[in-house]
Amino acid sequence: MTAALLELKNLQLKVADRELLNNFSLRIEAGEVHALMGRNGSGKTSLAQALMGNTKYQVTGGTMELAGESLLGLAPEERAKKGLFLGFQYPTAIPGVKVSQFLRAAVRSVRGDSLPPKEFRARVKKELEALKIPDSFMTRFLNEGFSGGEKKKLETLQLRMLEPKLAVLDETDSGLDIDALRTIAENIEAMRTPQRSFLLITHYQRLLDYIRPDFVHILANGRIVKSGSFELAKELELKGYEAFVEAA
Amino acid sequence: MNLKIEAGDLSSWEWSDRDDVCVTFDSAKPEVLIESRASRQLQVEILSDHAIKLRVSSDNNMRRIRVHRFSNQAVSFSTRLIVELASGAEVEIDEEVRQTSDVGHRAVHETGIILGENSKLRWVQSGFFSSASETMQKHRAQMEAGSEFTLGYFAMGGKRNEFASRVDLLGRGARAKVRALQLGQGREKHKQTWEAIHGVPGASSEFQIGALAEDVSFCEMNGLLRVDQGAENSSAIMKMKGLFRSARAQIEGRPQLEILNDNVQVAHGCAMSPIDPEQLFYLRSRGLSATEAEDLIAQGFVADYLQDRDDEQKQRLLKTIFGELL
């Protein structure tokens, strides 16, 4: 059996002394799109942060593998270089660092190549147009004074420039107006390939209307309580989380 | 003595198209060296060997004056520069203060600035000091009505480096804006003191003061905004920010207010922090190593204080501080 792109087995996750995930398992094959849905505080963001290697979250048991290689013990930058990308729910601002400078450093670090400046600019310009972002965006300081929508567009711009194997997108749809949601979703959808996988973390069905997932999972009490197809997201929208949490 | 500046020997300096005059105080030279690209109506009064007064008038199209204060000898060195802008005059000053002696050395540099009505002065200063040097700089600016003064100050190095500035806003509508940063490394001690005195109605001052401390260095920031009784409708703000790159580095910030009029807008604040772990994690998630991420955050912190410099000046300074940029 070939290794899954992402395989989490019996994962135990804690922050401080609070248990967040208990025997959490998930398998994502190459080319699949999974949606992880759950109430506020159910542990979705904690899982995303732990996957990327945020040491605030401690993995106290279980395994976490990307393409057959353990991620445990790897620094965030090593995980990024192995093809993992996290689209942050709340990307942090870094005053004084221009978007252009940051983006160039990130592309060079993750992909290991150094596009000549002219080609890099041409590629960025194309992506900016696709995301309907003005050129002036590149000279602004990273996320400083950005609206919620601008932050999510910048996360999507990075996703497109870094071309990861697995993208974990943490509430990419939050804080977006209808037009921005469509633009971002279309740009993500356009990245689907048989090799690239996505884990979409969301509360709502609306993002999934644009990016149709192969599997939908409901997270409650630190584990997946139900998995299914896109139909599960529709059912969830009608019934709410409570029905699934009580049944578990 | 008043001198008219004539074109001089330009071979030893790299002039940019914007530079008109270069003033050099060099501890190895007996007197101030003044060079000019072309004949200008700038007036220079020699006060003593290393003390001069420059007068800029409104009709001389002066663009930029470069000032260098260099010393590389184990002697005490004092300089004094007075710059007077006539009403309506505009000029930019790009100053570099450098002490390269590797044995005990002390320098005192004094600067006086007189801004006539509706004059504009943009002054950027970069200071680089060797580990054995001690430097004291005293700045004093007097601003008449409608004048504008922008000062960008940056300094790094030195056993002890002190900068004390006082800005007197003497005329209605005068506007002062300061961005200042000291960078401490090793066992260095840095101190900056900023005072703005609002003596008349309707003037404004804005100070953004910062310190970046590494290793076991110590940086001290002091500030005072004073608004006198008759200075209603004044606007004044002073923000201090410190960033630690080591657990043993120290930064102290003391912004103070003395407000004697109720009808004013005045604010002050002070924030100190180590490198934010969330910022670090964000950059590392994009493939940067911990060291690269820290460097980039520190570069950003510094760059925020260099906004009054043009891109070329900013890049040159950042490369001097951090080496090859990410």
Side-chain angles (χ1 to χ4, degrees), chain B residues 112-279:
Chain B
I113 297 163
I114 301 156
L115 294 176
E117 286 186 8
N118 301 313
S119 61
K120 280 187 190 172
L121 175 62
R122 188 169 81 102
W123 192 311
V124 293
Q125 187 198 100
S126 307
F128 304 97
F129 309 108
S130 64
S131 58
S133 64
E134 292 184 38
T135 313
M136 173 72 208
Q137 289 197 69
K138 295 175 192 168
H139 252 238
R140 179 141 189 197
Q142 295 183 334
M143 302 178 64
E144 296 296 339
S147 60
E148 287 181 30
F149 177 40
T150 304
L151 174 62
Y153 163 76
F154 169 82
M156 66 183 290
K159 185 177 168 188
R160 184 170 183 84
N161 171 35
E162 255 185 85
F163 189 98
S165 163
R166 173 176 161 151
V167 179
D168 288 277
L169 297 112
L170 304 172
R172 190 182 283 268
R175 286 185 288 173
K177 189 174 179 186
V178 172
R179 277 200 178 90
L181 179 73
Q182 288 181 329
L183 194 161
Q185 295 173 300
R187 296 183 172 278
E188 294 165 9
K189 286 186 168 50
H190 293 264
K191 181 178 180 181
Q192 40 185 331
T193 304
W194 299 92
E195 280 181 56
I197 313 296
H198 288 250
V200 293
S204 69
S205 64
E206 186 185 330
F207 291 80
Q208 189 180 330
I209 315 299
L212 172 61
E214 302 182 353
D215 307 317
V216 289
S217 61
F218 176 63
C219 297
E220 182 182 341
M221 297 179 277
N222 299 296
L224 172 68
L225 296 175
R226 197 181 90 199
V227 181
D228 289 343
Q229 205 164 16
E232 65 268 11
N233 297 320
S234 289
S235 161
I237 185 161
M238 183 173 282
K239 290 183 195 167
M240 289 181 177
K241 218 161 116 182
L243 181 68
F244 303 99
R245 287 192 74 178
S246 133
R248 295 175 66 202
Q250 290 181 66
I251 304 175
E252 286 180 4
R254 293 185 207 90
Q256 294 180 62
L257 303 178
E258 258 183 53
I259 313 296
L260 304 175
N261 188 304
D262 291 337
N263 187 21
V264 295
Q265 285 191 321
V266 181
H268 70 321
C270 186
M272 311 286 174
S273 68
I275 297 246
D276 180 353
E278 291 302 317
Q279 291 180 337

